[in-house]
Structure formats: C-alpha cells, structure tokens
Amino acid sequence: YDAIVIGAGVNGLVAAATLARRGKSVCVVEQHAKPGGMATLSLHVGPPLAHTLYNLSPRVLEDLGVPRAQDSFHSPPIATVGLCESGRHVVLNGGQARFADGTPHPDTAAVQKLSEQLVTYGDLLRHLGEQPPPGGVSTISMSAFRQMLRLGRLGLKLKGLGKPEMRRFLQLLLSNAHDLILDEIPDGPLAGILAADAVRGAAAGPRSPGTVFNLIYRMGHGGVVTYPVSGMQSAMDTCAAAAKALGCTILTQTQVTQVLIENDCVTGVATADGTVLSARLVLAGCSPKRLLEMIGPDHENIETTRRVRNVRARGTVAKINLELDAPLSIPGLSDDLSGSRLLIAPSVDYVERAFNPAKYRQMSDHPVIEAVPLNHNGTPWVSMIVQYAPSDLDQGWTNAARQDLLRKTTETLARFIPTLPAQITGSQVITPDQIQAATGSPGGHWHHAEMTLDQILTLRPSIGLNRYQMGPKGLFLCGASTHPGGDIMGLAGRNAAKTALETGS
C-alpha cells in the first residue's frame, strides 16, 4: 500500500478517503469488528457511546462523497430542553428560547443575541479548524503561499467584525464561561444549558479559564445538533462504504501492535497475528501515547517522548444507558419534544458545584446529565452522558463505585423526571477506565487529550506535534488529539492527510 491508516473511526475513515482521492492505495486497519471507533463502541447490548452528531463537518461529507441528505445523516436540528424540577422546562433551539408549554421566555432576546455572537465567533474558529495549523513548510513553496492566503482571509474576516467586536472576541476567547453567560442572562436553566455545553467532556467547570473557547468551538457549524436517523453505526458504515468506494481496503478485527521503522522512515505495520503490511506512510487515529508505544522509545527523541507523556487526558465522562419498559414520558413536556436532547443543568452554579468533587477525584453527587431517549434494537432506552465521573477516581472504578454512580444518576434523574425510576428494567454503566481499556484513549477521554488553553490550535496536542507528524518520516497522527479536536467532525483526519500529502510523504 501507499498508506496505512490505524483506526476506522471517523477521522481514520476521512483520512483514508482524502488520500485515496489523491490516487493513493490505502489500507485501514481496525481492531474492532465494525468501523466507527469510539463513537460506535458498545461494551454490552446497549446503545453506543455517541448518540448525536454535533459537529460533523459538511466539508468532510463532501470529501467522502456522502450527500448531506442521505438517510444516515439526514435529521432536522433537534431542540435542547433544560429540565426543571418545577416542571416548567425551557427549550433552546437555534438560539430561540421558550418555555416547553409554548409561552415566550423573558430572556429570549438576550439568549438569541449571545447565541448569534457565539456562532459568529465559531465561524472564525471553523476556518482555522478546516485547515492544518500554519507552519512546518518551506517559506518558499506553494504550501507556504496557500497558508499565507488562508491566514489573510482569516484576518479579513476578523477585521470585518469591526474594531469593538474584534476586541471583544479576543478578550472572550480565553475567558471563562461563567462570567460570559451571567453577564448576559440571569442564572437559571437557559444559562445552565450554555454552561453545560461549555464544559462537555472537559475536566473543568464554568469558572475555569478557556471554557468560552470550548463553547465557541461547539458553535463552529452553527451549534446544530442532529441525530443519525438510522443510528450511529449506520452513519459510520456509510462513511466506511464511501471510503471503500474510493478504493480503500478496510481490515476489521485486526490490531496493529507495532509500527515498523528503518533508517528513521516508516516501512509499514505489524499486526497481532504476525502479518506485516508495508507502506511508506502511516497515519494513526489513536492517541499520541498509544502511538509512542507502537513505535517504541528508540525511534523518538527524549524531548518528544517527554511531551507526549505530559499530554493531559483526564476523562470525566461516563456513559449510562437505562433500558425502559415503555418510551419515556416527561411531565410538562409535549410529545413533539420527547425526542429532544435533555439536559439536567438547571443553573451555571449547579454545573460548577457538580465539578467541585472531581477536583478531588470524587464523583459528583448531583451530576450534569445529557440524556437522549431512543429506540435501540426495538427497545426504548435513555442514553446518557454523565459528568463528572473522573477517570482517576479515588479508590478506583470498582463494581461498587459503578453502582454508586448509577444510584446517584438515577436519584438525580428522579428529581426532574419523577416517573422514570419505575420504568427502568435494565442498566449499563460504562466508566472512563472501561472506555480506555476498550479504545486505548488515555483516561477514556473522547478527545484523546483535554481541550485546554495549552492544548489547542497550534499547541495541540503539544509543542512540536501540532503539524500531525510524529518522529520518523512518514508517520502522522490523525485522531482527535490533534487540531482541531474531536466531536465526530472528521476534520483532524482530513487535515492530517492533507499535511501528509503536502510534505510529499
């Protein structure tokens, strides 16, 4: 092969398709039975880890040759419902806020103004995210010229905001979500929705510096949340089929154990069964720590090894699936909103207090919960992202600790959905240590590395690794640990493949 891609997650599949479009013969090697990576991982019989398509790039779908209206991806934007103990739930959809009973919300104008501002800022980050970070090429080359043009266009868009707005953007980018949100709207369920999205998947609370960046990052494609209509596995199967149609070979249930290197150049990979696949270009969708294990310390310098080992990836998210005896019905919520994204984050202060125990390696007694009612294999479930459940839990994630997390989650749900506990017929708890064991992602972190101020943009995942290349010639990272990050957007894989092609690997 011309290239081997390790991992058939969305980034691996997009990287493979990008290379294949340029005439490369590509083999994708996946350790699990089906493509999809962490997004489609299901450790037992319940729904997979991911349940929404939050930031899948339209440009990625175009590169794959997948029409946006195809069934696996076609879903109208779904509303987010902030649940209230009083039963007067609030709905946020496209920046428009209202109560669930249809009456106007008094803060709708302020929320809409803030949402529009964040979407505008997110568009700037989107332009950065759709291309590799600048640098890493000769100053006299077409690649350098194209980088200058991209930065020039970004500068013009930034200047087009006007001086006051440009100044505000630069001031807010590195600030905390708590201050931004409460400067614009009073604390309550609407503010809680924004705070929860600012810290989703992060080892941080709304008061932590840089959480505004995370919020803007999620607005990169308008903040639109959709469902893959036929399920996440079907969506990833569609991506895999698109890569195959471009000529890619996909080997499943095949684990890469070693990246082969001679004279500081990649020559291929070796698999667990002893098979050797030859290629002069290898792109890895795993974390940098896992890739370092596969190449061995002899092929990396001490400084790179130190930086890789210091990349922070403290996962704080558990996945809990509850099997129900009937579709979920929530008092105060009409049927047309029953399939919305449900959030238990009644205030910014609630989200911050939920984070406090995680600082000390404890799980939250009152977690922040994103819940999605769905039908999985003909059975109603509620699929939940539960935060905060730290990967480095004091005393470790024992069976007793998992049951304690389930109890605390169920008790929290019962405060907002009193009818739910009586409907539960089964449960599945997937904690960060299990995610790490199944996927190799450090700390079970879904971005493979925290999205913090010193691990974003040209510093992602670390200084010296921001242009995807790692050590020996022909070896590249292409997973969520690289710029611009995860969230099933596929841009990291696309950017890594473009960088590999630019360098002539």
Side-chain angles (χ1 to χ4, degrees), residues 238-307:
T238 301
C239 291
K244 288 181 179 179
L246 291 169
C248 299
T249 299
I250 300 179
L251 304 178
T252 56
Q253 293 184 301
T254 306
Q255 184 177 7
V256 173
T257 55
Q258 184 180 3
V259 175
L260 304 176
I261 299 168
E262 291 182 9
N263 299 321
D264 205 32
C265 295
V266 166
T267 61
V269 301
T271 65
D273 63 2
T275 301
V276 172
L277 303 172
S278 298
R280 300 177 71 176
L281 178 62
V282 172
L283 286 80
C286 58
S287 70
K289 292 180 182 179
R290 177 68 186 112
L291 182 57
L292 185 63
E293 293 172 358
M294 287 191 280
I295 64 177
D298 293 344
H299 299 290
E300 278 292 358
N301 62 55
I302 293 174
E303 182 59 23
T304 299
T305 300
R306 184 187 68 82
R307 288 173 178 170

Side-chain angles (χ1 to χ4, degrees), residues 308-341:
V308 168
R309 289 175 177 169
N310 286 330
V311 171
R312 295 189 311 284
R314 186 176 184 244
T316 60
V317 171
K319 184 66 183 284
I320 294 183
N321 297 312
L322 299 178
E323 186 179 14
L324 308 180
D325 60 4
L328 183 64
S329 178
I330 301 176
L333 209 62
S334 59
D335 290 342
D336 64 312
L337 291 172
S338 61
S340 302
R341 184 174 72 120

